[in-house]
Amino acid sequence: MSINIGIIGLTQSGKTTVFNALTGAAADTITHATDALNPHVGISKVPDPRLDTLNEMLRPKKLVPVETRYIDVGASLKTLVQDKGIGGELLNQLNTVDTLIVVTRAFQDDSIPHPEGSIDVKRDIAALNLELIFSDLAILERRLEKIEASLKGAKAPERQTFLHEKEFLLNLKAELDKDKPVRELPPDICNARIISGYQFLTAKPLLILVNIGEEQLPEAKSLETELNGIYVGDKSRAITLCGKLEMELAQLGFEAAGEFRAEYGLTESGLERTIKTAYELCDLISFFTTASNEVRAWSIKRGTTAVKAAGKIHTDMEKGFIRAERIHFDSLVACGSLSEARKQGQLHLEGKEYVIQDGDVITFLFNV
Ligand SMILES: Nc1nc2c(ncn2[C@@H]2O[C@H](COP(=O)(O)OP(=O)(O)OP(=O)(O)O)[C@@H](O)[C@H]2O)c(=O)[nH]1
Ligand SMILES: [Mg+2]
């Protein structure tokens, strides 16, 4: 199971640098701009100290963190929308991501020209927002054309369905025309269930990643506060990140990187901060399984029931679900071992409708 993240942003904003920082890859940022024919795709593991604790306590044969898959498409969304071939293909890939990271340049460097000629974070965020809206309008208009064509030969009941959808899309279009992203619209205009069928880019959570230079680190916190005053929402957030520094640190070992980070007054890695924020924006939580000598982390939407969580692991587990044996990570740590937890009566039996909590350690019991 993995979380999918799309990295977008204006030209030369540091997308590939951030991609390298998050994946530990070493894609070229110096001599090559990313070309759409050759997007970067990389996988990294979601860091979770709880998993390390479980590893030490339970000494499993295998330790399996959640994976994150990143795609850095490299081309502007405008180009992708206009280009029906490879652009269409890349756009399809972006349409399937769980969240978008918009890399926005704040770093100063005269040797790297900004496409707009100056550094202006808010202007660039607005420009990117427009590109996303442009892409969604293209999807929407294509769908409207299809509906018009289908309406021609449609019989009465079918006709009604098409007319309903058309009305829904026209209302949505009116909002997009006012530069409003889908993610910010009230539920009466944009019913979440209907919307999910279209894969609009502006419906996705948006993590604005402001790429700052090392020398801007002292102002990072206040810049974040200022930007979140404007952009924070249920599904949007701004964070600052030193892309170039984080990319270099990602190439070092864990400990050496930690020491450098401490010198810069950074307590978390860029990857940790980014993933944490992405989890919040996507409303994801983690639970752990320990069966078959394997400790594994899983990510699910907050509010998922035990039976649905079991289904994420295997459809048979959902079909034959009997119950879940559960202990919270904190209680397990307090007990010191699973057998001690069992002795102390800390392992709880939960039914199908139990709502999984972040940090639950679970064994599903099921019939095959
Ligand atoms: N000084 C400085 N330079 C940076 C920083 N982040 C990125 N750069 C430089 O900016 C240039 C562009 O970075 P990339 O990561 O390739 O940017 P990109 O958005 O992927 O560029 P395209 O693929 O061409 O759109 C490279 O020369 C980077 O080294 C930073 O924080 N500080
Ligand atoms: Mg690039």
Side-chain angles (χ1 to χ4, degrees), residues 79-95:
T79 329
L80 295 186
V81 172
Q82 279 153 359
D83 166 359
K84 293 271 180 303
I86 185 77
E89 174 50 35
L90 283 176
L91 210 54
N92 284 343
Q93 292 204 38
L94 270 188
N95 280 333

Side-chain angles (χ1 to χ4, degrees), residues 10-18 28-30 32-34 72 74 107-109 112 211-213 242-244:
L10 299 184
T11 313
Q12 296 279 291
S13 52
K15 299 181 293 294
T16 303
T17 305
V18 167
D28 190 354
T29 58
I30 302 302
H32 283 293
T34 312
D72 161 22
F107 70 84
Q108 310 271 353
D109 189 332
I112 300 159
N211 185 15
I212 57 172
C242 233
K244 205 171 172 195

